[in-house]
Amino acid sequence: MTRIPPGSRLPDTIADFLGSARFSSALTQAILGTVLLAEPARALVGWPGLIAALSTLVVFSALSLVAKRGDYEWRGLLPISLLVFVGWCALTVLWSRYQWITVAGVLYQLTVMFLGIYVAIARDLIQIVRAAGDVLRLVLVVSISLEVLSGLLIDTPLRFLGIQGNLDVGGPIQGILGGRNALGAVALIAAITFAIEYSTRSVRRGLALGSFVAAAIVVLLTRSPVIGGTFLVLAAAAVALVGLRRTHLESRRVWQIALLAVGLVGAVIVVALRGQLIVALNAQSEFQLRAQLWRELMRLGGLNQFEGWGWLGWWRTDVVPYVFLTDRGNVSTDSALSSFVDLYFQTGVVGLVIFLIFAGLAFVRSWLLASDKRSVSYLWTPLVLVVLGVVSLAENIAIVEWGWLLLVVCALKAAQDKSWRGVLA
């Protein structure tokens, strides 16, 4: 039996380990991987197993923050808009018709938010990009491998993972994320991440380039109109940001205003020509199914228009009113298939407006940082937010699990350099 010398300081040794860069790096990858793979985790180990894994990560994150408590300025660290949004979600328990489910939903939301806060505090932006790159490579490799197994080798759907086995006919593929839109969104974020890795030489050029090509192939194989439209918006945003970074500082503000005007005009044109765009993207069937669901949600949401029905995140189809929304053809009914419609339904107009302010501030701050800072890594946050925002129009991405985690990370990294409270400090 090994004896500890009387003069040793074991607690200090543990604290040093918990506060070390190596531990933070490993914990960040574990957080990103666990939250990103929450969908297959539920399929394999159920909600109890997923909650146990997330709870363990929360404990380790809290211990690591305690060990690092002297390394950061904690005042004004969290965006006020974020605190107001989660506070309003928690407040909905007072009028929710499913109060215990709302309590559970808020706790789950806070759990993922806390993990996102840890990632944003403990790691620099380029370190987050590198950790995300490693995790996203794993997700894409596993997704492609299972699609090959299902679609080519055994020619049988893997229904417990949501894989339909369509690779032999060119897709659409779903990977291990439960749906083609979720997989496509992750593949776009992966492409952004791999491109930044390539530009910053964070990994070997061959690995970064090969990873980017794999992400592009996955995007194509999803055959998703939603992802196709998101790609167009993402490409326009990337070109605009790269162009802004190359303009002179004196004229950059003028160009920012011009781009804002172009963006607003573009949004108006998209709304006005939405019918033609839906046809061009071959999205009639998807849009019709969603429109039917959204009309019903708007009708029911009008009963609690101001305050909403009560927060829960993912739907529980065994409680009112969600029990009446379960039969929608082949469309999944664990959400409203739109983060913004879901927010309106669950938290009312107030919650939706607060969220838009929070997400809008995060995007504006990250956009300004990306256009002003020299490091290419600053491009990651606004481009990831573009993907989350556009895909969330047709999928419940930005307010649950990995989308919520990335939104919190991006918002905190932007607020660290652009928060108005920094002036007061």
Side-chain angles (χ1 to χ4, degrees), residues 132-369:
D134 290 340
V135 172
L136 291 168
R137 258 184 290 275
L138 174 64
V139 171
L140 293 181
V141 168
V142 174
S143 293
I144 293 173
S145 300
L146 289 176
E147 288 287 351
V148 170
L149 173 66
S150 175
L152 299 181
L153 298 181
I154 63 175
D155 196 22
T156 302
L158 302 177
R159 301 191 187 282
F160 71 101
L161 292 175
I163 297 176
Q164 298 174 9
N166 295 326
L167 187 60
D168 57 333
V169 293
I173 65 173
Q174 299 78 35
I176 56 175
L177 297 178
R180 61 175 179 172
N181 289 333
L183 178 63
V186 167
L188 287 176
I189 293 173
I192 296 167
T193 305
F194 302 149
I196 292 176
E197 284 183 333
Y198 181 87
S199 299
T200 58
R201 300 185 180 181
S202 302
V203 298
R204 289 182 291 107
R205 289 293 184 94
L207 176 61
L209 186 58
S211 301
F212 183 87
V213 172
I217 292 173
V218 170
V219 169
L220 292 174
L221 288 175
T222 60
R223 295 175 59 179
S224 167
V226 174
I227 300 305
T230 304
F231 169 76
L232 295 177
V233 178
L234 174 64
V239 170
L241 268 177
V242 172
L244 277 174
R245 290 168 60 86
R246 294 180 177 179
T247 60
H248 293 293
L249 185 61
E250 296 78 10
S251 60
R252 192 168 295 163
R253 178 171 296 182
V254 176
W255 281 106
Q256 295 277 24
I257 296 173
L259 283 172
L260 176 61
V262 171
L264 292 175
V265 172
V268 172
I269 293 175
V270 168
V271 172
L273 301 178
R274 59 187 181 277
Q276 294 90 323
L277 290 173
I278 290 171
V279 173
L281 292 172
N282 195 26
Q284 298 96 315
S285 59
E286 282 201 25
F287 180 77
Q288 289 173 358
L289 291 168
R290 281 167 167 77
Q292 180 186 3
L293 178 61
W294 294 342
R295 282 194 296 268
E296 184 66 13
L297 287 171
M298 290 299 180
R299 185 185 68 82
L300 291 173
L303 302 176
N304 303 288
Q305 186 175 23
F306 180 79
E307 74 281 10
W309 283 81
W311 175 259
L312 46 67
W314 291 121
W315 285 8
R316 286 282 300 271
T317 55
D318 56 343
V319 298
V320 175
Y322 304 98
V323 67
F324 303 119
L325 302 167
T326 57
D327 186 13
R328 295 291 161 183
N330 59 355
V331 177
S332 171
T333 53
D334 58 0
S335 75
L337 299 177
S338 169
S339 294
F340 304 107
V341 176
D342 236 337
L343 280 170
Y344 167 74
F345 191 74
Q346 296 183 33
T347 65
V349 173
V350 175
L352 176 59
V353 170
I354 295 172
F355 178 82
L356 290 175
I357 293 173
F358 160 60
L361 285 173
F363 178 72
V364 170
R365 287 166 174 167
S366 63
W367 182 277
L368 294 176
L369 283 171

